[in-house]
Every structure is written in structure tokens, then in C-alpha cells.
Amino acid sequence: MLINAQHISYHTPNREPLFRNISFSLRKGDKAAIAGNNGAGKTTLLKIIAGLEKNYTGQLQVPGNLYYIPQHYGHFNQLTVAAALGIAPLLEALRAVEGGAVDQRYYDLLEHNWDISARCEEAFARWGLRGIALEQPLHQLSGGMKTRLFLSGIDIFKPAIVLLDEPTNHLDKPARAQLYEWMETTGCTLLLTSHDRQLLRLCNPIWELNAGGIKVYGGNYDLYAAQKDAETAAMEHQLAHHEKTLKEARQKQQQALERKQHADAQARKRYAGSSEPKGFLNGRRNAAEASTAKLKHVHADKVSELRADLEEVAAMAQVQRIMKGYFGASALPASKVLIQATGVNHAFDNGQWLWPAPVTLTIRSGSRLAISGNNGSGKTTLLNILQRRVAPGQGSVAAASCRALLLDQDYSLIDRKKTVLQQADSFNEARLEAAMVHTLLAGFLFGPADWEKPCAVLSGGEMLRLALCCMVLQHKAPDIIFLDEPTNNLDLGNIEMLGKVFATYRGALVIVSHDAGFLQETGVTAALQL
């Protein structure tokens, strides 16, 4: 075993348990993926294995030759490329020796790294980073370039184990294809988290993480999804049984209480005219009350447990049902022209044009358009031009009178300064009464305990559900929805839900996404390559 973990537990800074007593092992050659809902602790677990998170309990054995690629790079932005990769001390030692220094510590540090500059240059070239200087600040690189930079570290350090946290989040199509090819051919042992189903198809096994532990599913993502579907089908099959049992439990609880009330009344009558000692009668009465309290407690626990099972299975289906009913109400005439862009282009400050050829396209009611292109090709810029948020440098955009909405990866329609309830109220165009808004929030899994929660602390899945709730509160479904990488910060369950939600949408969709599965699920009918 390369990695062996026994009884790992982790509590958040506010002492809430994230996961408890989980055990797992990673064998040489494994290409394992960790699945689980947002907030399950996937990133935290990777950080524990990488040695970056120390506040855990349990036993963990990890070899030293390990390389970790994080999901977020913001904390590296003020560093140079060399410092972010962790090779700045090597370059400093190399420069010192080349300058005539004879300090032994430099030679010890460079024992196997005299060719570090050449290795970096070769690795950068392989991952499409020609011209990147080791001394330049990391913040000058785009998100996709930063990911490729850390991927190049695999070639630089040649580790035995690689940990990757959502590695495709910022990669364009060619870079994703390169990563997939590397995944298929590498001899490294891998452990990763990802919502990219194409990447997960290259992984075996799939580990599903939750608060209670890790469940191992043999096979790749397709086998994992099939097993999960079977489990869900079995759970749905049990729903009727659970509902029946729940009803019976409540009936038994009520019957027990009624019998107890009747017995108490009879006991009081006997007690009034009885010659038996008071202590004996009081003892019998107290014993009966204790027995009834115990019975009530048992039934209450059973009811609570069954209700939790039902809610866990039905939650996502409930959101899908609400959105299907909401989208079913939208109906512009089929094929009505909503947006006509003619010869548009975007000008940089230096006068150069963003696209080699101006873009002309027509978006009609009910159409599904996917906009694709490499990082930096101007996909988001084109969305902004189509929404008339940005004026084109040349050409024109004509738009019919219609309702439009943008759902992007940052969920920018959510005001982070507001609470959940304030955010919902701000979209209440139908002027629903407070009780109706509360009911709708509950339908999107935001109970009273969530209403005063700041939007800034919501997870990606919670942001998605609140954004969908806000759409419904607008009363009338949009005629056209722009989706800009909406799946980037979602777990697999929410991605699947979002695909099913927009598969039922009758209006026009303009989608920027690298997720081929999501594009297929939403029924894309046309594509524009920038």
C-alpha cells in the first residue's frame, strides 16, 4: 500500500464533525477518484494526505514522493512562478554556485537537481506554457495557465503519487484532452476529486465520501453511476414502504397515548377508593408513566429516522419538479428571433481584434447554442456582447423584447452581502406574501434556520438552489438563459440535477461549458467555435 489511513476524523474550527473514523488505502498504480456532495470534505481529505492539514485524528502513512495540485491558487498569486512550484530555493542555490559559492548546503540541495532549469523549460513546453519565466508573478497567468503550470510540476518532480483537486475546472478543451491522455498513460498513482465525468471515466476505483465514512465502488464513473442509480431505485422503491411505516408508527404512538390516558383514568378511580398503601399505588402509576414515556421516545426516534431517509432521497427530485413546472409555463412562438448578432468583434486597447473573423449568429426561441473555444478565446466576452452588457467594437446586436437571465459559475445574480431571505425577497417580482416566499425557500431546501445565513457562506450547490429559487420568484420564466460554466463549482449530484432541470426548459439556451455530458443533457443543437 502506498497510502494507508486508519480511523481518520476531522472537525471544523467550530468543532463540527466533517467526517469520522474513515479508513482507506491506495495501492500502487491505482487511479482513484473521491466523489461526494459539496461540503463532504473531499478537499480537506486531500490536504490531510498532502500534509497541509494537521488538525485531524487517526493514523496516516504516506510516502514522501507525493505531489499535490490544489483547486484554488489565489494564495500563490503574490509569489513568482518558481516560488509557487517550490523550486525557488533550487534556483537560488544554482545561481549561488554559478557565482562561485562553495557552501556545502547548496551542493546538497542540488544533488539531483542540477538540471532544474532545463526540466522546467521542457515541462512548460509540454503543457503549452512556452515563454513563461520562472521569475514572473503568478498573478499574471490566467486560471487555465495556472492549472497547466502545476500540472507541469508532475514532469519536473516525477512523483510516485499525484493528488489533484478539481484539475479541469479552468482548462479549455485542448488542455483537458491533454490531461485525459496523460491520465491514460501515466505510471503515477493518482487520487483526485473532480466533477468532470469524462475524467472520472478514466478512474478506478471511485471512493464516495460522506460523514460516516468512505464507500468504495469498483470500476470507473459509468459503473459508479450505474450502481448509484440502482441504489437510488431501491431507495425510491422503499419510499412507499417508509411512508406506510411512518404512518403506522404515528398511529401506534397515538394509540399508546390513548391507552395510557384511559389506564391513568382507571387508576385514579381505583386510587380514590383503594385501601392499598399510597406508596404502592404511586409506584404502579410512576412505572406506567415511565413505560409510556419510553414507548413514545422509541416511536419518535423511528419517525425522525424515517423522515430523514425520505428527505434525503426526495430533495433533488423536489427541486426538479418545481423547476419543471416553472419552465413549463414559458412559451414564446417557436423559432422567433431573439438575438441577431451581425459581424461583431471586440477591440483590445491596442486596437487589435479579439476574433480573427467577426461573429455572426442568430438565436431563436427554443434553440440550444454551445459556445466553445480555448482559454482566452473570448467566450465570456461574446456572452456579454449578446446580452448587450458590452458594446461590440464593430458590428451590431439586435434583440427582441424578451426576458433574459445569466447563470454563471460565480452565481453573480446572488448578492453576497444579503442573507438568503433578503436575496429571495429581492427577486419577488410577483409580490408574494412572506409565507409564500418562506414556503418556496423550503421547497429549495432552505429551512428557517437558513434564512438569516449570509449568501457569502453558501456552498456551490446551495448557490445553485438559491439562484433557481430566485428565478422562480421572478414569476415568469426567462425567454433566454445564458449559462457561463455553470457546473464548475458543483458536485456530481448537482450537475446531474442541473442537466435535468435545463433539459425541461422551453426557452433558448446559450451555453459556455467544457462539460460534454452537460451539453448533451441540455440538448445542444448548434455549436460555435471561437
Side-chain angles (χ1 to χ4, degrees):
M1 300 296 178
L2 286 180
I3 295 178
N4 188 35
Q6 298 294 323
H7 311 300
I8 302 295
S9 296
Y10 178 83
H11 289 73
T12 61
N14 62 358
R15 300 186 178 276
E16 291 291 327
L18 190 58
F19 44 76
R20 292 175 174 169
N21 202 35
I22 63 174
S23 299
F24 56 87
S25 59
L26 190 69
R27 300 170 300 180
K28 184 176 181 180
D30 278 349
K31 297 178 181 178
I34 307 174
N37 295 335
N38 284 347
K42 301 185 294 295
T43 293
T44 299
L45 183 57
L46 284 188
K47 287 182 176 179
I48 288 173
I49 297 171
L52 300 176
E53 177 57 68
K54 306 292 186 181
N55 295 319
Y56 68 93
T57 59
Q59 295 77 47
L60 180 63
Q61 297 176 341
V62 181
N65 192 12
L66 179 147
Y67 183 69
Y68 170 62
I69 300 179
Q71 179 180 357
H72 303 291
Y73 313 109
H75 54 298
F76 293 122
N77 276 345
Q78 301 310 310
L79 302 178
T80 64
V81 166
L85 285 172
I87 61 172
L90 297 178
L91 296 177
E92 181 183 352
L94 189 61
R95 285 192 292 267
V97 170
E98 290 173 346
V102 295
D103 193 320
Q104 184 60 41
R105 63 188 175 92
Y106 292 142
Y107 288 86
D108 292 340
L109 194 61
L110 291 169
E111 182 179 5
H112 301 294
N113 293 293
W114 291 100
D115 62 342
I116 186 64
S117 296
R119 276 159 42 201
C120 289
E121 184 176 352
E122 182 179 347
F124 289 177
R126 178 183 177 187
W127 289 96
L129 296 170
R130 291 184 185 276
I132 298 297
L134 290 167
E135 296 79 16
Q136 76 180 84
L138 194 74
H139 69 79
Q140 294 180 354
L141 306 184
S142 69
M145 294 174 71
K146 290 173 185 175
T147 301
R148 282 184 275 141
L149 175 70
F150 282 93
L151 287 170
S152 74
I154 300 171
D155 293 330
I156 295 170
F157 298 108
K158 303 187 184 306
I161 300 175
V162 179
L163 308 180
L164 304 101
D165 193 359
E166 298 286 358
T168 59
N169 262 10
H170 301 287
L171 296 182
D172 54 28
K173 188 174 181 179
R176 287 190 179 207
Q178 185 177 7
L179 177 60
Y180 301 152
E181 181 183 5
W182 174 81
M183 283 274 297
E184 291 182 286
T185 59
T186 184
C188 293
T189 299
L190 307 179
L191 180 60
L192 60 87
T193 70
S194 180
H195 61 254
D196 182 333
R197 286 165 284 187
Q198 191 168 345
L199 183 67
L200 292 174
R201 289 187 178 98
L202 304 175
C203 297
N204 180 6
I206 306 293
W207 299 353
E208 187 175 77
L209 176 65
N210 56 50
I214 283 182
K215 184 175 181 180
V216 178
Y217 291 82
N220 67 2
Y221 172 76
D222 289 332
L223 289 173
Y224 163 74
Q227 292 176 75
K228 290 294 292 180
D229 286 344
E231 291 176 3
T232 300
M235 180 65 79
E236 289 174 347
H237 183 70
Q238 293 173 358
L239 281 178
H241 171 71
H242 284 174
E243 289 172 344
K244 180 181 177 182
T245 306
L246 183 60
K247 182 179 180 180
E248 290 175 350
R250 287 172 172 160
Q251 289 175 342
K252 288 180 180 179
Q253 182 180 2
Q254 182 62 33
Q255 289 168 1
L257 290 174
E258 289 174 357
R259 286 195 298 269
K260 174 59 172 61
Q261 290 170 354
H262 179 73
D264 285 348
Q266 295 299 317
R268 282 193 295 271
K269 289 180 180 179
R270 289 195 300 271
Y271 176 77
S274 175
S275 59
E276 293 186 26
K278 290 185 177 181
F280 175 74
L281 291 173
N282 287 337
R284 288 179 60 184
R285 182 181 61 191
N286 292 339
E289 289 177 350
S291 176
T292 301
K294 181 179 180 181
L295 180 64
K296 184 176 180 180
H297 179 70
V298 168
H299 283 305
D301 284 349
K302 188 173 184 180
V303 169
S304 177
E305 182 180 344
L306 288 168
R307 182 179 292 115
D309 287 342
L310 291 173
E311 288 176 352
E312 184 175 352
V313 173
M316 290 303 184
Q318 175 176 274
V319 172
Q320 291 172 35
R321 285 194 298 270
I322 294 173
M323 295 306 298
K324 184 176 182 180
Y326 170 65
F327 284 151
S330 66
L332 277 180
S335 299
K336 176 182 178 178
V337 175
L338 302 182
I339 297 176
Q340 177 65 57
T342 306
V344 299
N345 212 330
H346 177 73
F348 291 112
D349 292 339
N350 60 8
Q352 290 186 334
W353 296 108
L354 175 56
W355 302 300
V359 175
T360 296
L361 59 86
T362 303
I363 300 173
R364 300 178 183 275
S365 178
S367 62
R368 300 283 196 271
L369 172 66
I371 300 175
S372 60
N374 298 343
N375 292 135
S377 61
K379 300 183 292 296
T380 297
T381 299
L382 180 56
L383 285 190
N384 286 330
I385 289 175
L386 294 177
Q387 296 172 83
R388 296 192 291 185
R389 294 169 180 252
V390 172
Q394 71 177 63
S396 62
V397 176
S401 177
C402 61
R403 295 170 63 90
L405 184 136
L406 169 68
L407 190 64
D408 58 10
Q409 61 182 310
D410 296 321
Y411 303 106
S412 54
L413 63 83
I414 304 292
D415 187 342
R416 270 60 169 180
K417 296 178 182 178
K418 293 180 178 177
T419 65
V420 169
L421 184 56
Q422 288 171 340
Q423 174 67 28
D425 285 336
S426 69
F427 275 75
N428 186 13
E429 293 182 0
R431 301 302 177 199
L432 299 176
E433 294 182 358
M436 290 295 292
V437 175
H438 296 165
T439 299
L440 190 59
L441 280 169
F444 284 88
L445 315 182
F446 293 103
D450 301 312
W451 296 343
E452 297 306 317
K453 184 184 296 184
C455 293
V457 304
L458 299 181
S459 68
E462 289 171 329
M463 287 276 192
L464 168 64
R465 285 190 277 108
L466 184 56
L468 294 176
C469 181
C470 288
M471 290 172 63
V472 175
L473 281 164
Q474 284 187 309
H475 187 56
K476 185 179 179 182
D479 302 309
I480 180 170
I481 297 177
F482 298 89
L483 302 176
D484 190 1
E485 297 288 4
T487 64
N488 262 10
N489 298 306
L490 300 180
D491 56 39
L492 288 168
N494 279 295
I495 290 174
E496 291 174 1
M497 180 193 74
L498 193 65
K500 292 176 181 177
V501 162
F502 283 107
T504 66
Y505 175 57
R506 296 183 180 182
L509 284 177
V510 181
I511 310 172
V512 171
S513 178
H514 294 295
D515 189 326
F518 179 72
L519 293 176
Q520 182 177 3
E521 288 166 359
T522 50
V524 166
T525 55
L528 173 66
Q529 175 74 32
L530 295 179

